[in-house]
């Protein structure tokens, strides 16, 4: 179904929108974006008269915002192995419906992508489906067992862009150290799923007042922070790039903020010929963790769709995440879309798996929680969801509308009022606590390599 | 639905006279007061039983024990009520085995309350005799039940409601005939 | 649960307790109602108490005990519950090791669901029977009483249900136990004070409620040894002497004599532990009566 090679199919003119491109610091009202043969050709006013625009498909973006295609660097596609929860086709369709043109698949599948064959399988299946670019995140260790390092270099050559044992922490500090060291020359960050399993053992929700009230075993904030502290120290030791996934607590934010300052000082000292090896720290948080708090478990009477790892935290943690997104301590908003089958969540709270499905409302949740109350400006939000993840992962041609970039564009309406209706979702996972939520913001069109994938909120095939 | 007051049919004095008469009849019929126990059916049967006990004492000089029976648990209409009626205590101070029990209630109507009271009593033991005393018998029986002692027979229509007000509960004595509005 | 509901249950139990003293301990109230006890955790006491309460009210009771070990592999709670309902149960009384399971069950079933203890969350009928017992010993009221709860508050649903009920009724609750077994957030509940020393919680108390110590907590490393627990946190005669002269001592059972409570205390005139069991039946009769009657249960 991918019609590659046809100029007509991959040339498009997006007319008259507000063009926001954080990679160039652009915020132009009433501007056009011209994509020719799948690449961005020109951005600005009056591009329509460009000769290549003749005969191009025209998308009217008046009153809408045109941004680089949204990137979600933390998505569970469940394929291979758990196709009953989600597969590459349903997951990429859901992503496109949510406004994303690029996603990164997490490696907790069966088998795990710890070698190039599985990375290639994911890439090829996603390319054949043609809804969304997929860059696999490979496993750090063979089988994600935390024992021996996986074939990191081989996987990079097949298109893996980062490495993680997500779902599990790399509990072995020595392995984490070697992975950070080894992956660095490949330009691939190690993504830390920060969880001290002994502190989190048996935990069902954030440890605090509500876990006490509900009688559910708690997961203390420290379970996350202890591991982040270790990984930040190892990043400095190795000079590697650590990316902290799904940051959820104020303590974690403080640790990351300090580590980033330290990394900056070390880099300056090194540049001046001084002692020290530069290292890199980046971080992400999910829209869920800035939308809901641990009280949601109480309010929903133990709705298993509020069960997620890391758990929903307190209002104070939410405030810290917002501050961190505003000051850049947290670089990226990533969904951690974690679809599960209905039956798996339709059980007692403690027996339900962690995770919630959200990629189709990720943008709306972020706009509602961050842009509406003025925590982030719209261009800042666009940065956290496009340019920043491209920078963290080193994705060439992504997260930008600079000429020559890939023709991936999202056209969104940041003021649209949407009432969440899970039955309209393309994802197989309807495990979200958002049914009936009234949110602001919606992706209207997505263009992938110059091809219109979603039009007026509906996938074209 | 507020009830409309139609008429007062017995005044305070009338209530007293009816009870005094019933007290005499009880002593008469049972040839004294030996083994007699008065059982008031909650709620207004209880003060009536206490008054009967007092009047009998005035005549005979004997204290007749008074018990309190809550028949809620024995009602036959529990499954048709929207919410459960409040259960009150049943307090019968003496063993009823072999006793002459006199059930006391304010109004005898369908007979269903008395049916429930009989069941409740049987669960407490096996009295020798059970008799029934009521202040008002208004007819419309749905069960084969009759009273042994009646203060006054009052023919009524089904739309009407008999309200017995007693000082212990309502701060006034008397019997009124009320009507449900059309 | 609103205060008015608690009061109604306590008053109803007060009326129904009389039935337990009768020669013929049966009233016909719940004739034709069927009650199923569904227990995923072993409990002789609570299950029997509910079953006898049902039988005294003429309901038909059946019991299902599911070994916890087979839960994950076996039939799901949802399917088990739907099966029971399809057989015509009017009420399911459930004990489960997972907090919130009764909320889950109530979402699935149309019939009444009673929580007989869910994980570390709540054990409402125990909380009510404890309040009922206190009322009966303290002149019918709870307001202003100092109630000490001693032991493993962290893992105790009995403690939680007591705390919610008692504080709503105006009692002052004081908790004490090993610091690893007292959740630090407990003091955020208005009316609750936590103490490091058991002595401070017991001093001047009207009621001392001693919680059962689960021995597996020691294996999890939450306190060093049973011996140390008993020495520092056990309720013995010396510690009880700090309470009011007419102190009432309670324990939800089953007791570990010589661990959380000494026999001297458990067998003293202050202890009302067996009466709690009797009151448990009255409370459960009240719950069944109030929930099972009515056109819409």
């Amino acid at each position: 179904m991918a019609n590659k090679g046809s100029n007509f199919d991959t040339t498009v003119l997006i007319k008259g929108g507000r063009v926001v491109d954080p990679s160039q610091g652009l915020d132009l009202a009433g501007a056009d974006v011209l994509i020719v043969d799948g690449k961005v050709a020109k951005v600005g006013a009056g591009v329509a008269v460009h000769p290549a625009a003749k005969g191009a498909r025209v998308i009217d973006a008046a009153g809408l915002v045109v941004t680089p295609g949204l990137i979600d660097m933390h998505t569970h596609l469940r394929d291979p192995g758990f196709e009953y929860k989600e597969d590459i086709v349903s997951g990429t369709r859901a992503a496109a419906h949510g406004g994303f043109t690029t996603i990164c698949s997490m490696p907790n599948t069966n088998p795990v992508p710890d070698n190039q064959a599985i990375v290639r399988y994911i890439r090829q299946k996603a390319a054949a489906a043609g809804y969304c670019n997929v860059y696999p995140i490979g496993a750090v260790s063979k089988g994600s067992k935390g024992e021996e390092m996986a074939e990191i270099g081989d996987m990079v050559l097949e298109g893996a862009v980062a490495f993680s044992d997500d779902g599990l922490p790399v509990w072995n500090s020595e392995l984490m150290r070697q992975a950070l060291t080894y992956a660095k020359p490949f330009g691939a960050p190690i993504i830390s799923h920060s969880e001290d399993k002994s502190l989190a053992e048996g935990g069902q929700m954030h440890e605090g007042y509500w876990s006490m009230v509900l009688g559910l075993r708690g997961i203390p904030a420290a379970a996350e922070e202890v591991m982040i502290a270790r990984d930040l120290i190892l990043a400095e030791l190795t000079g590697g790039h650590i990316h902290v996934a799904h940051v959820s607590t104020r303590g974690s934010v403080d640790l990351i903020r300090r580590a980033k300052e330290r990394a900056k000082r070390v880099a300056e000292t090194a540049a001046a010929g001084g002692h020290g090896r530069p290292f890199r720290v980046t971080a992400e948080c999910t829209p869920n963790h800035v939308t809901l708090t641990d009280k949601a478990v109480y309010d929903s009477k133990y709705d298993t769709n509020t069960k997620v790892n890391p758990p929903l935290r307190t209002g104070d943690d939410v405030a810290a995440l917002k501050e961190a997104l505003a000051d850049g301590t947290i670089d990226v908003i990533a969904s951690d879309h974690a679809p599960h089958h209905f039956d798996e969540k339709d059980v007692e709270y403690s027996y339900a798996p962690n995770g919630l499905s959200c990629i189709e409302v990720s943008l709306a949740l972020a706009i509602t929680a961050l842009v509406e109350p003025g925590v982030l400006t719209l261009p800042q939000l666009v940065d956290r969801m496009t340019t920043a993840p491209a920078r963290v992962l080193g994705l060439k041609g992504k997260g930008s509308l600079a000429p020559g970039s890939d023709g991936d564009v999202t056209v969104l309406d940041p003021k649209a009022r949407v009432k969440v209706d899970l039955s309209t979702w393309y994802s197989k996972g309807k495990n979200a606590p958002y049914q009936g939520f009234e949110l602001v913001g919606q992706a209207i069109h997505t263009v992938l390599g110059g091809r219109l994938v979603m039009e007026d909120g509906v996938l074209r095939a | 639905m507020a009830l409309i007051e139609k008429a007062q049919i017995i005044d305070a004095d009338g209530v007293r006279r009816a009870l005094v008469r019933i007290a005499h009849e009880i002593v008469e019929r049972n040839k004294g007061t030996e083994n007699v126990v008065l059982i008031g059916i909650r709620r207004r049967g209880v003060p009536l039983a206490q008054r009967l006990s007092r009047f009998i004492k005035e005549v005979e000089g004997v204290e007749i024990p008074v018990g309190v029976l809550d028949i809620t648990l024995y009602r036959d209409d529990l499954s048709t009520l929207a919410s459960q009626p409040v259960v009150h205590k049943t307090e019968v101070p003496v063993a009823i085995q072999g006793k002459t029990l006199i059930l006391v209630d304010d109004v005898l109507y369908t007979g269903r309350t008395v049916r429930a009271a009989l069941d409740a009593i049987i669960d407490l033991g096996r009295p020798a005799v059970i008799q029934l005393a009521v202040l008002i018998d208004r007819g419309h029986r749905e069960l084969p039940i009759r009273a042994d002692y009646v203060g006054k027979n009052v023919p009524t229509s089904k739309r009407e409601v008999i309200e017995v007000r007693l000082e212990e509960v309502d701060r006034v004595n008397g019997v009124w005939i009320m009507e449900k509005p059309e | 649960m609103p205060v008015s509901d608690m009061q109604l249950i306590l008053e109803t139990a007060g009326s129904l307790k009389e039935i337990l003293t009768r020669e013929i301990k049966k009233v016909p109230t719940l004739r034709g109602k069927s009650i199923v006890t569904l227990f995923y955790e072993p409990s002789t006491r609570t299950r029997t108490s509910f079953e006898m309460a049902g039988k005294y009210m003429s309901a038909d009771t059946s019991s299902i005990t599911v070994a916890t070990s087979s839960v994950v592999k076996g039939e799901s709670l949802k399917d088990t519950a739907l099966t029971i309902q399809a057989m015509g149960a009017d009420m399911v009384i459930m004990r489960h090791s997972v907090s919130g399971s009764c909320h889950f069950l109530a979402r699935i079933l149309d019939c009444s669901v009673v929580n007989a203890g869910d994980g570390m969350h709540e054990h409402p009928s125990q909380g009510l029977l404890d309040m009922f017992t206190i009322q009966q010993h303290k002149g019918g009221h709870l307001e202003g009483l100092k109630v000490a709860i001693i032991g493993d508050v962290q893992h105790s649903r009995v403690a939680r249900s007591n705390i919610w009920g008692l504080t709503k009724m105006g009692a002052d609750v004081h908790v004490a136990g090993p610091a690893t077994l007292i959740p630090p957030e407990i003091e955020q509940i208005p009316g609750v004070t936590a103490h490091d020393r058991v002595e401070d919680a017991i001093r001047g108390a009207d009621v001392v409620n001693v919680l059962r110590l689960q021995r597996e907590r020691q294996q999890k490393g939450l306190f060093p040894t049973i011996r140390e627990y008993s020495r520092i946190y056990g309720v013995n005669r010396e510690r009880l002497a700090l309470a009011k002269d007419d102190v009432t001592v309670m324990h939800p059972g089953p007791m570990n004599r010589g661990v959380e409570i000494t026999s001297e205390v458990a067998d003293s005139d202050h202890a009302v532990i067996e009466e709690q069991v009797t009151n448990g039946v009255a409370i459960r009769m009240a719950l069944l009566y109030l929930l099972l009657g009515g056109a819409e249960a």
Side-chain angles (χ1 to χ4, degrees):
Chain A
M1 70 148 295
N3 283 318
K4 291 283 163 61
S6 157
N7 285 1
F8 183 78
D9 269 0
T10 56
T11 297
V12 63
L13 175 67
I14 303 161
K15 272 188 75 168
R18 173 183 169 193
V19 177
V20 175
D21 177 9
S23 76
Q24 308 178 76
L26 280 186
D27 187 352
L28 301 171
D32 305 335
V33 175
L34 177 66
I35 296 166
V36 178
D37 293 347
K39 299 282 180 190
V40 178
K42 213 165 165 28
V43 175
V47 168
V49 299
H50 193 279
K54 202 164 270 174
R57 173 193 288 280
V58 176
I59 296 170
D60 180 9
L64 302 175
V65 175
V66 181
T67 73
L70 302 182
I71 299 171
D72 185 10
M73 66 175 289
H74 195 138
T75 312
H76 294 274
L77 288 177
R78 307 297 191 202
D79 184 354
F82 305 100
E83 293 84 352
Y84 67 95
K85 298 176 194 252
E86 190 86 287
D87 60 38
I88 289 171
V89 175
S90 68
T92 52
R93 282 168 65 85
H97 185 230
F100 294 94
T101 58
T102 296
I103 60 176
C104 297
S105 58
M106 276 294 168
N108 53 343
T109 50
N110 183 22
V112 299
D114 57 1
N115 61 72
Q116 46 88 19
I118 299 166
V119 171
R120 194 161 53 219
Y121 159 81
I122 296 168
R123 295 274 290 167
Q124 287 177 348
K125 194 168 172 189
Y131 295 102
C132 186
N133 302 304
V134 176
Y135 291 91
I137 291 169
V140 171
S141 61
K142 287 180 187 154
S144 284
K145 290 199 173 84
E147 289 160 7
E148 297 169 62
M149 203 190 300
E151 291 173 321
I152 286 177
D154 213 16
M155 286 191 275
V156 167
L157 296 178
E158 287 299 329
V161 291
F163 296 89
S164 175
D165 281 350
D166 191 66
L168 298 166
V170 178
W171 55 269
N172 181 330
S173 305
E174 171 63 10
L175 177 67
M176 188 59 152
R177 173 192 180 173
Q178 301 307 351
L180 280 161
T181 307
Y182 187 83
K184 189 185 173 192
F186 296 98
I190 301 295
I191 299 179
S192 166
H193 169 97
S194 311
E195 184 185 12
D196 182 316
K197 282 283 180 195
S198 65
L199 285 173
E201 196 200 337
Q204 306 295 327
M205 65 176 295
H206 174 67
E207 180 178 302
Y209 178 78
W210 293 111
S211 69
M212 177 201 68
V213 168
L214 293 167
L216 288 171
R217 197 177 294 278
I219 301 171
E224 174 174 319
E225 292 153 6
V226 162
M227 209 52 138
I228 290 181
R230 183 202 72 173
D231 288 347
L232 294 171
I233 290 166
L234 291 176
E236 178 163 0
L237 172 70
T238 58
H241 177 185
I242 191 84
H243 175 79
V244 185
H246 41 58
V247 174
S248 72
T249 76
R250 180 175 286 281
S252 302
V253 165
D254 289 344
L255 287 166
I256 293 164
R257 188 176 284 128
R258 266 185 284 158
K260 282 187 153 191
E261 284 161 10
R262 173 135 184 90
K264 197 175 161 204
R265 275 204 309 281
V266 169
E268 285 163 4
T269 313
H275 188 71
R277 193 156 35 159
F279 64 105
R280 196 168 167 209
V281 176
T282 54
E284 73 188 34
C285 76
T286 82
N288 307 308
H289 290 85
V290 292
T291 301
L292 298 171
T293 65
D294 55 345
K295 186 165 179 282
V297 186
Y298 172 84
D299 289 336
S300 69
K301 294 190 175 161
Y302 298 90
D303 179 359
T304 52
N305 291 323
T306 60
K307 185 173 170 182
V308 58
N309 189 19
L312 300 170
R313 302 289 189 182
T314 68
D316 181 59
D317 295 306
V318 170
L321 293 178
K322 288 179 173 177
E323 290 158 25
L325 277 164
D327 71 13
T329 299
I330 293 176
D331 304 79
V332 170
I333 297 165
S335 75
D336 197 4
H337 173 69
H340 287 291
H341 193 273
F342 175 80
D343 291 344
E344 292 173 302
K345 283 284 195 178
D346 195 26
V347 293
E348 299 91 315
Y349 202 84
S350 301
Y351 300 157
N354 285 308
L356 57 91
S357 177
C358 62
I359 200 163
E360 288 168 78
V361 285
S362 189
L363 174 68
L365 290 169
I367 290 177
T368 308
L370 302 169
V371 178
E372 284 293 300
V375 175
L376 297 181
T377 63
L378 185 67
Q380 282 176 321
L381 179 86
V382 172
D383 171 67
R384 311 300 185 255
M385 296 183 78
T386 61
T387 308
R391 188 177 60 237
V392 167
L393 296 168
L395 303 179
K396 292 201 175 58
K398 302 293 182 198
S400 174
L401 295 176
S405 302
D406 294 341
D408 299 345
V409 177
T410 301
V411 180
L412 53 95
D413 180 352
K415 290 290 171 195
R417 303 206 159 260
V418 230
K419 189 164 179 182
V420 179
D421 178 2
L422 298 177
S423 70
T424 65
W425 285 14
Y426 290 85
S427 171
K428 290 183 187 175
K430 314 286 193 234
N431 50 306
Y434 299 124
Q435 177 69 16
F437 269 44
E438 296 192 2
L439 302 176
V440 180
Q442 188 184 11
I444 307 294
H445 314 293
T446 54
V447 173
L448 183 68
R451 227 162 20 83
L452 188 57
V453 171
M454 179 173 70
E455 187 172 18
D456 288 324
V458 179
L459 295 192
R460 296 195 71 220
Chain B
M1 185 184 62
L3 297 176
I4 301 157
E5 189 174 314
K6 258 176 98 172
Q8 181 172 11
I9 48 174
I10 307 181
D11 62 8
D13 233 26
V15 171
R16 188 185 57 77
R17 278 198 299 274
L19 289 175
V20 168
R21 180 168 53 74
I22 292 174
H24 279 100
E25 286 176 19
I26 289 172
V27 175
E28 182 95 19
R29 161 108 62 124
N30 296 297
K31 303 185 173 62
T33 58
E34 201 184 342
N35 280 335
V36 171
V37 178
L38 292 161
I39 303 283
I41 300 175
R42 282 192 195 271
R43 171 165 195 204
R44 286 180 183 73
V46 178
L48 290 176
Q50 285 158 347
R51 290 188 196 185
L52 285 172
S53 172
R54 242 185 0 255
F55 291 138
I56 292 173
K57 190 180 177 187
E58 280 167 20
V59 179
E60 295 287 295
V62 181
E63 188 92 44
I64 306 274
V66 175
V68 174
L69 195 66
D70 186 273
I71 56 104
T72 315
L73 299 170
Y74 293 84
R75 286 171 66 154
D76 60 6
D77 58 353
L78 284 174
S79 61
T80 64
L81 302 174
S83 66
Q84 291 293 72
V86 175
V87 186
H88 293 283
K89 269 205 180 76
T90 287
E91 293 163 295
V92 176
V94 291
I96 61 171
Q97 185 75 24
K99 292 282 177 9
T100 296
L101 251 54
I102 299 167
L103 290 174
V104 183
D105 205 358
D106 55 350
V107 179
L108 178 59
Y109 182 26
T110 60
R112 287 177 192 270
T113 301
V114 176
R115 195 283 307 160
L118 289 170
D119 279 356
I121 285 293
I122 299 298
D123 275 359
L124 296 176
R126 186 177 185 280
V129 178
I130 303 177
Q131 297 168 353
L132 174 64
V134 297
L135 185 59
I136 304 291
D137 182 346
R138 60 169 291 194
H140 303 288
R141 212 77 76 244
E142 292 168 4
L143 298 172
I145 279 170
R146 58 157 184 82
D148 300 277
Y149 313 98
V150 178
K152 187 177 171 70
N153 283 295
V154 181
T156 55
S157 82
K158 284 203 164 195
R159 270 224 343 260
E160 290 168 333
V161 174
I162 297 290
E163 265 197 26
V164 173
R165 297 179 197 160
L166 299 174
E167 207 177 331
E168 295 89 330
V169 184
D170 313 290
R171 282 181 308 203
V172 57
N173 287 308
V175 181
W176 279 261
I177 194 155
M178 317 285 282
E179 195 171 33
K180 296 174 189 165
E182 293 279 346
Chain C
M1 188 186 289
V3 171
S4 58
D5 284 4
M6 286 195 282
Q7 269 159 347
L8 177 63
I9 296 166
L10 294 173
E11 279 163 23
T12 305
S15 302
L16 296 174
K17 194 178 173 185
E18 170 262 330
I19 294 167
L20 300 176
T21 64
R22 294 184 189 175
E23 203 167 316
I24 304 167
K25 290 188 275 292
K26 206 174 194 73
V27 294
T29 319
L30 299 180
R31 253 178 331 178
K33 299 282 185 188
S34 54
I35 296 172
V36 174
T37 57
L38 174 59
F39 273 56
Y40 283 87
E41 271 186 347
S43 153
T44 330
R45 190 172 288 253
T46 305
R47 199 187 63 217
T48 309
S49 180
F50 269 111
E51 283 177 7
M52 290 183 85
K55 287 179 172 149
Y56 293 153
M57 309 278 284
S58 298
D60 296 304
T61 63
S62 322
S63 68
I64 299 175
T65 308
V66 189
T68 316
S69 55
S70 71
V71 171
V72 181
K73 295 182 238 166
E75 193 181 42
S76 70
L77 169 58
K78 179 179 175 173
D79 288 334
T80 304
L82 289 172
T83 304
I84 293 169
Q85 180 169 264
M87 289 175 183
D90 297 292
M91 174 184 278
V92 176
I93 297 167
M94 185 169 74
R95 159 75 56 95
H96 199 292
S97 60
V98 173
S99 302
S101 298
C102 289
H103 287 286
F104 174 66
L105 197 65
R107 273 198 286 271
I108 297 171
L109 297 184
D110 300 321
C111 70
S112 301
V113 174
V114 172
N115 184 359
D118 63 329
M120 310 186 293
H121 178 224
E122 288 227 46
H123 190 350
S125 62
Q126 179 77 41
L128 288 161
L129 81 88
D130 287 346
M131 285 157 64
F132 185 55
T133 306
I134 296 172
Q135 266 191 342
Q136 298 214 320
H137 282 269
K138 302 293 168 189
H141 72 105
L142 297 166
E143 206 176 341
L145 294 179
K146 177 173 177 180
V147 180
I149 299 177
I150 307 299
D152 180 3
V153 173
Q154 171 80 38
H155 301 94
S156 173
R157 54 193 170 214
V158 174
R160 280 176 180 72
S161 285
N162 262 278
I163 286 170
W164 292 122
L166 289 168
T167 53
K168 276 189 194 166
M169 301 294 261
D172 247 338
V173 177
H174 294 256
V175 300
T180 45
L181 298 178
I182 303 291
E185 299 83 7
I186 197 90
E187 287 196 296
Q188 290 178 35
I189 301 171
V192 179
T193 313
H195 299 274
D196 293 334
R197 287 161 41 88
V198 169
E199 288 79 0
D200 295 336
I202 292 183
R203 189 167 288 119
D206 297 284
V207 178
V208 175
N209 198 346
V210 188
L211 300 172
R212 172 178 165 76
L213 183 72
Q214 308 277 340
R215 285 166 189 265
E216 55 266 29
R217 307 292 174 225
Q218 187 262 326
Q219 284 133 31
K220 289 236 163 109
L222 294 169
F223 61 92
T225 59
I226 298 280
R227 201 186 66 81
E228 177 167 324
Y229 183 93
S230 147
R231 179 173 174 195
I232 302 177
Y233 303 102
V235 175
N236 53 28
R237 197 178 50 184
E238 293 73 33
R239 292 197 172 111
L240 193 64
L242 299 168
K244 289 216 176 108
D245 291 342
D246 64 345
V247 65
T248 302
V249 176
M250 308 205 296
H251 190 295
M255 282 185 279
N256 299 297
R257 285 173 183 261
V259 181
E260 70 265 13
I261 189 167
T262 61
S263 283
E264 257 183 329
V265 172
D267 298 335
S268 72
D269 292 343
H270 295 291
V272 295
I273 296 163
E274 282 149 52
E275 200 185 321
Q276 285 175 270
V277 177
T278 309
N279 288 342
V281 178
I283 280 287
R284 285 160 186 138
M285 286 168 76
L287 289 170
L288 301 186
Y289 169 73
L290 293 168
L291 287 170
L292 270 184
E296 276 173 48

